[in-house]
Amino acid sequence: MLETFTIETFQPRIGEIFTIVVDEENRLPTKLTEVFPWGPGAAAGRDRHPFSLVFHTVPQAIVPQQIYRVENDNMEPMEIFLTPIGPDERGMRYEAVFT
């Protein structure tokens, strides 16, 4: 399923809540805040243009980088690799990269 995702899959979802399933007891609600393509040369030799997603959550919500189940009311659940990229004025940020 992940290989079929494109930037167009996620652009309409900006502002929606996604839930990171940390484990059986912990679920972390996040908001998809950014969807952006990589530079123009990044697509050379690839089936899709690479892009990144940025999710925001509360500042104190820090989980390690790894593959998590991510759920959204408007999409099928997915397993994606999330990396914490540090806080900003809106909270803690996590990034998912699709190449």
Side-chain angles (χ1 to χ4, degrees):
M1 174 172 53
L2 293 179
E3 58 277 347
T4 65
F5 290 154
T6 65
I7 195 166
E8 291 81 12
T9 304
F10 290 96
Q11 282 177 326
R13 306 278 173 242
I14 293 174
E16 289 186 9
I17 300 299
F18 286 73
T19 301
I20 299 170
V21 180
V22 178
D23 56 37
E24 289 184 22
E25 299 171 6
N26 297 293
R27 300 171 65 81
L28 180 61
T30 64
K31 183 182 284 188
L32 179 61
T33 55
E34 298 175 47
V35 178
F36 56 91
W38 289 14
R46 299 181 190 267
D47 292 335
R48 68 171 166 208
H49 194 101
F51 64 98
S52 296
L53 308 176
V54 175
F55 299 90
H56 275 86
T57 190
V58 294
Q60 64 273 20
I62 302 173
V63 295
Q65 71 177 17
Q66 65 182 43
I67 296 173
Y68 291 97
R69 179 180 176 91
V70 177
E71 300 172 348
N72 172 273
D73 289 342
N74 299 306
M75 298 179 75
E76 292 291 322
M78 63 198 91
E79 303 279 331
I80 57 176
F81 189 83
L82 294 172
T83 301
I85 55 174
D88 67 8
E89 66 280 351
R90 294 183 284 178
M92 185 62 183
R93 297 175 301 152
Y94 289 89
E95 181 179 44
V97 174
F98 295 83
T99 57

